[in-house]
Amino acid sequence: MQLFYFSVDPSGGAYLDSNESKHCIKVLRHQAGDQIHGVDGKGTKYTAVIDAANRDRVSLTILDREINWGEHPYEVHLAVSPLRLRDRFEWLLEKAVELGVTRIQPVICQRTIRTQFKTERFQKILLSALKQSMRSRLPVLSSPIPLVTYCQQVGPQMLFFQANSLDTLGNHKDDISQQSTFHLVIGPEGDFSPEEIALLETTGKGLSLGSNRLRTETAAIHALSSVKLIKGW
């Protein structure tokens, strides 16, 4: 099933913006009268019919809608240090969406190298991954904040991952299976500093992802996948 990103106005009408319209009309050759499917990024999937086919704007009439389509009954917030290499961070964003993340919070740590990035480009990656993975809720990508600020905001709900912990997610699978919101924290290349670990230990639970040394993006995917495994999907 091909999914489009629908813009839905307060009156209940819907349309495709310029980029989506060009793909719909020029690439996929849809025309007036065709039935298509789309999501609004807010948790709803729609079936609609094309009223007017134009490469700059496709007008739609909604036939059916399904709330919370393709979404988990729990939330996963991922706080992660931006990566030095942009393409690796873009890959992480894509895979995090596929694994069901609901919010991504870049956190600036003492060993973080890249602190600036192009949000507009990243939003396009999130949207593409949303449609590809058959989800209906677009994850929120927040502006970068210092790790200490994030700790103050979230507090003891955090699960942070670092190499020297002797505890694992598996040791807490019974408790985790009952949770409805997860706050996963992944540090930079080079791990958290000793001062940051001390801070995190006062506000959250430190866990290990195994004895192997993992890249930041690999650790993030490992943590997200582990939550999905414990929750059942």
Side-chain angles (χ1 to χ4, degrees):
M1 178 173 56
Q2 175 72 47
L3 280 182
F4 294 94
Y5 187 69
F6 284 12
S7 298
V8 181
D9 59 47
S11 66
Y15 63 93
L16 303 183
D17 67 14
S18 178
N19 288 332
E20 291 289 278
S21 294
K22 289 175 183 176
H23 185 65
C24 179
I25 303 304
K26 295 189 65 177
V27 179
L28 299 179
R29 303 296 183 183
H30 282 299
Q31 55 189 335
D34 286 355
Q35 191 174 110
I36 63 173
H37 303 277
V39 295
D40 62 1
K42 300 177 182 178
T44 302
K45 180 254 184 184
Y46 301 88
T47 300
V49 64
I50 297 177
D51 292 329
N54 185 291
R55 70 175 63 184
D56 294 318
R57 181 183 171 103
V58 170
S59 300
L60 306 165
T61 293
I62 295 174
L63 303 177
D64 189 31
R65 66 191 73 202
E66 185 176 344
I67 306 299
N68 212 39
W69 181 81
E71 296 299 316
H72 299 135
Y74 56 91
E75 292 192 9
V76 183
H77 298 187
L78 175 67
V80 60
S81 171
L83 300 173
R84 178 176 60 87
L85 298 177
R86 191 183 67 183
D87 62 334
R88 288 187 177 274
F89 192 64
E90 291 175 352
W91 181 88
L92 169 57
L93 293 177
E94 179 183 81
K95 301 311 170 188
V97 175
E98 293 178 19
L99 290 170
V101 75
T102 48
R103 179 181 292 273
I104 301 170
Q105 174 62 73
V107 289
I108 306 304
C109 305
Q110 291 182 20
R111 293 171 180 165
T112 299
I113 297 174
R114 179 184 290 273
T115 60
Q116 302 291 327
F117 52 66
K118 298 180 178 180
T119 303
E120 183 178 351
R121 175 178 171 83
F122 290 166
Q123 289 290 355
K124 291 179 180 179
I125 291 171
L126 295 180
L127 180 56
S128 177
L130 175 82
K131 294 186 293 182
Q132 185 277 329
S133 59
M134 297 292 183
R135 293 184 57 188
S136 61
R137 190 176 302 279
L138 186 65
V140 175
L141 177 62
S142 301
S143 299
I145 60 174
L147 177 65
V148 62
T149 302
Y150 182 78
C151 290
Q152 293 168 350
Q153 292 178 353
V154 179
Q157 304 174 70
M158 292 187 310
L159 299 175
F160 68 94
F161 298 89
Q162 53 98 14
N164 295 326
S165 176
L166 299 178
D167 203 357
T168 67
L169 271 173
N171 293 336
H172 304 276
K173 61 182 180 181
D174 290 338
D175 291 337
I176 288 173
S177 65
Q178 303 301 315
Q179 289 183 227
S180 58
T181 303
F182 298 87
H183 298 271
L184 311 178
V185 188
I186 306 293
E189 297 151 299
D191 209 350
F192 299 110
S193 70
E195 295 81 7
E196 289 170 336
I197 291 175
L199 169 65
L200 289 162
E201 287 177 340
T202 64
T203 55
K205 183 185 296 295
L207 299 173
S208 169
L209 290 171
S211 58
N212 298 108
R213 183 166 59 187
L214 304 178
R215 292 182 180 273
T216 293
E217 65 271 30
T218 309
I221 299 307
H222 190 339
L224 290 168
S225 300
S226 296
V227 168
K228 282 178 67 72
L229 179 63
I230 292 173
K231 293 293 288 185
W233 71 294

